[in-house]
Amino acid sequence: MVGGPGESDSECGGEAPLSVRDRGTAGGQGGDEKSQTPPPSLRMPEGPELHLASQFVNEACRALVFGGCVEKSPVSRNPEVPFESSAYRISASARDKELRLTLSPLPGAQPPQEPLALVFRLGMSGSFQLVPRGELLRHAHPSFYTALPSPRLALCFVDIRRVGHWDLGGKWQPGRGPCVLQEYEQFR
């Protein structure tokens, strides 16, 4: 695996996919099975997990250049992502239970266009994973591919239950209360 703290720093070639959910489990200490917290892969993503997911995307994609179209799975009911660029970067931010990805074309990229923002709600099991391009995951819905000469990778939104969704435009959901991580005083 590649990436986050405490993980191997070998390259992705043939390794298992990297995800924010691979950062460990949150099992309880001692006690019987009923008192233990389920592992992160079995829990609904909450605000802190979306914050970690945005950190993962920013760390994993910092040195990568993406290119081409955004590929949406044919089984997804979410909107097509009308974005194509010969070279762009991906950055992420999180607020409460939403994660915003911003696709920013590099200077001189073709066709010329403005950055595009997508707001994701991860649903019950959604996560972002960086995988080798030839090993796309079955439940990868939109996939963002690196451009040459970068390593041939794909950043994928993986949602086994297909409950998560994304909206174009990058606006946070209206009417949502203060974010416990970024607006703690207002949240209290």
Side-chain angles (χ1 to χ4, degrees):
M1 283 189 216
V2 181
E7 298 189 40
S8 167
D9 56 4
S10 65
E11 290 300 319
C12 276
E15 298 282 335
L18 175 64
S19 163
V20 69
R21 295 186 182 242
D22 293 335
R23 293 180 186 249
T25 61
Q29 299 289 349
D32 61 272
E33 286 184 19
K34 291 180 183 176
S35 67
Q36 292 187 349
T37 304
S41 61
L42 299 177
R43 294 183 294 152
M44 181 177 253
E46 297 292 340
E49 290 170 316
L50 272 85
H51 179 73
L52 285 175
S54 72
Q55 285 181 328
F56 164 75
V57 169
N58 289 331
E59 290 170 15
C61 299
R62 180 176 293 128
L64 298 175
V65 174
F66 293 82
C69 296
V70 177
E71 184 177 287
K72 183 182 84 101
S73 165
V75 298
S76 175
R77 295 179 299 235
N78 286 295
E80 293 287 338
V81 180
F83 186 85
E84 181 177 1
S85 178
S86 59
Y88 64 96
R89 296 232 188 249
I90 296 178
S91 60
S93 59
R95 183 178 186 281
D96 201 25
K97 292 189 174 193
E98 300 175 311
L99 184 143
R100 178 172 39 213
L101 280 188
T102 303
L103 314 179
S104 303
L106 297 177
Q110 295 298 319
Q113 62 181 315
E114 294 296 315
L116 176 71
L118 304 148
V119 172
F120 287 80
R121 290 167 197 88
L122 303 189
M124 296 175 70
S125 60
S127 67
F128 285 89
Q129 297 184 24
L130 187 63
V131 299
R133 186 174 181 148
E135 299 175 24
L136 285 182
L137 302 166
R138 181 173 179 220
H139 297 285
H141 296 294
S143 297
F144 308 88
Y145 299 106
T146 57
L148 291 174
S150 294
R152 303 303 289 165
L153 302 173
L155 177 68
C156 304
F157 173 60
V158 179
D159 185 17
I160 294 170
R161 295 182 177 138
R162 291 191 226 159
V163 177
H165 64 279
W166 61 87
D167 295 317
L168 303 173
K171 294 193 186 328
W172 301 119
Q173 188 175 22
R176 192 173 286 282
C179 175
V180 68
L181 295 174
Q182 297 174 353
E183 303 163 324
Y184 183 71
E185 289 302 318
Q186 297 97 320
F187 178 79
R188 293 182 50 180

